[in-house]
Amino acid sequence: MEIQKSTGVVLSSRHIGESDYFCTIYTKEFGKRDFVFKGLRKSRRRPQIISAPGTAANLVYYFHDGKASYIVNEYNIIKHNLNIRDNLKTIYLLYYILSLIEKTTGYNDKNKAIFELVSAGIDNIAGTDFPEHFSVFFALHLLKLHGILPDFTICKICNKSDYNGFIIDTMDFHPVCTNCAGTVKNKTIPLHKTAKDFIFESLTKRFSSIDHSAYPSSHILDLLFAITLFIENYYHVEIKPKQLLLNELSG
Ligand SMILES: [Zn+2]
């Protein structure tokens, strides 16, 4: 048994027992890990905000090799996002990006770039006027960090780069131009050329440098739906906040 320290972001949490919380946290030092906060619901001194998804904190805990979760002794909160809780769009957006991280990463699989992506993502949620664009931007960068982002400049069947409308093959995420779409079995709904342009801009520019008003919301929502569908197929997971987010954004 040894004492470890980590900095992490809460991905999800639930009550266990009478007064404990079980939290899945993405740590900078060790990747995803499960932690137990004892007596949190009874404590007046210890703020329960630690268990809120999106909260960033420093943790001190006993590490046991071979244990599936660790009991936290001490923590201090670096950042929380209570300020976004009165806006459904930003709440669902937060839950969506946290779910993407939780469902696509393995335990103890350290990746500092993913930690930085999620930390920066949470910081940017509250300020953005383009939540659907932000969701797509975030998901694309996550797929890139996971090393599964294909070359979006060419149709995977005919190799042409000047394609306009396209679909995405949900088996491998490769783009297929409208002319070749008939040859693919598992595919997304047709996507507009602006979706292709937005992917290119997302991967080559900072989020704040992109002129998001040039990309109609409906085209970006179709793309968001397609990307999420691919992630669910590829990782065999369900991104639960997807439906709430899509409903809220398209409403
Ligand atoms: Zn083609």
Side-chain angles (χ1 to χ4, degrees), residues 155 157-158 177 180:
C155 163
I157 308 284
C158 67
C177 77
C180 304

Side-chain angles (χ1 to χ4, degrees), residues 222-250:
D222 287 345
L223 182 58
L224 177 60
F225 185 77
I227 292 175
T228 314
L229 192 65
F230 164 70
I231 290 173
E232 291 184 327
N233 277 343
Y234 188 87
Y235 288 95
H236 304 288
V237 295
E238 186 188 2
I239 305 297
K240 283 191 185 140
K242 164 193 66 174
Q243 207 50 54
L244 287 171
L245 178 67
L246 287 166
N247 288 347
E248 187 63 29
L249 293 178
S250 56

Side-chain angles (χ1 to χ4, degrees), residues 1 27 45 49 89-91 100 113 116 119-120 155 218 229:
M1 192 166 82
T27 69
R45 195 171 54 83
I49 190 70
K89 273 186 195 178
T90 47
I91 291 172
L100 287 185
E116 279 159 11
S119 300
C155 163
S218 60
L229 192 65

Side-chain angles (χ1 to χ4, degrees), residues 9-243:
V9 171
V10 178
L11 300 176
S12 66
S13 74
R14 58 185 165 86
H15 301 151
I16 50 167
E18 213 175 291
S19 60
D20 303 344
Y21 272 94
F22 181 93
C23 298
T24 300
I25 295 180
Y26 198 88
T27 69
K28 183 158 77 178
E29 297 82 1
F30 307 103
K32 186 171 74 174
R33 280 185 167 178
D34 289 336
F35 295 93
V36 174
F37 293 84
K38 290 265 186 202
L40 203 58
R41 296 179 75 195
K42 279 184 187 162
S43 171
R44 277 184 223 151
R45 195 171 54 83
R46 304 219 290 173
Q48 291 190 20
I49 190 70
I50 182 65
S51 63
T55 292
N58 293 316
L59 311 170
V60 179
Y61 55 96
Y62 289 117
F63 175 79
H64 302 253
D65 217 2
K67 271 218 166 183
S69 61
Y70 312 107
I71 293 171
V72 176
N73 278 33
E74 283 174 50
Y75 62 87
N76 72 288
I77 290 167
I78 304 166
K79 234 180 272 177
H80 64 74
N81 31 60
L82 288 177
N83 52 324
I84 68 161
R85 308 228 155 223
D86 51 357
N87 182 329
L88 275 183
K89 273 186 195 178
T90 47
I91 291 172
Y92 294 153
L93 178 54
L94 173 68
Y95 284 178
Y96 175 80
I97 70 169
L98 294 175
S99 179
L100 287 185
I101 300 292
E102 181 168 5
K103 300 295 182 177
T104 66
T105 55
Y107 284 100
N108 299 307
D109 186 10
K110 171 188 161 176
N111 188 329
K112 202 161 162 245
I114 289 181
F115 177 81
E116 279 159 11
L117 178 73
V118 69
S119 300
I122 292 168
D123 287 347
N124 286 318
I125 281 175
T128 184
D129 295 325
F130 297 95
E132 49 275 60
H133 300 68
F134 185 79
S135 317
V136 168
F137 183 91
F138 185 91
L140 287 171
H141 281 272
L142 180 61
L143 292 178
K144 190 178 169 192
L145 290 177
H146 282 316
I148 52 173
L149 201 65
D151 180 359
F152 259 92
T153 59
I154 54 168
C155 163
K156 82 159 178 174
I157 308 284
C158 67
N159 286 330
K160 282 184 183 154
S161 60
D162 59 347
Y163 69 88
N164 291 318
F166 66 109
I167 55 100
I168 293 174
D169 187 332
T170 53
M171 293 294 113
D172 60 11
F173 206 56
H174 281 67
V176 177
C177 77
T178 309
N179 291 339
C180 304
T183 61
V184 175
K185 199 168 144 225
N186 298 292
K187 57 193 165 199
T188 63
I189 49 171
L191 298 166
H192 197 271
K193 182 179 182 295
T194 51
K196 177 190 172 194
D197 296 340
F198 186 74
I199 292 170
F200 178 77
E201 285 225 281
S202 292
L203 296 170
T204 53
K205 290 185 179 174
R206 294 169 62 87
F207 187 74
S208 57
S209 318
I210 301 171
D211 176 12
H212 296 289
S213 61
Y215 299 98
S217 184
S218 60
H219 297 172
I220 299 301
L221 275 175
D222 287 345
L223 182 58
L224 177 60
F225 185 77
I227 292 175
T228 314
L229 192 65
F230 164 70
I231 290 173
E232 291 184 327
N233 277 343
Y234 188 87
Y235 288 95
H236 304 288
V237 295
E238 186 188 2
I239 305 297
K240 283 191 185 140
K242 164 193 66 174
Q243 207 50 54

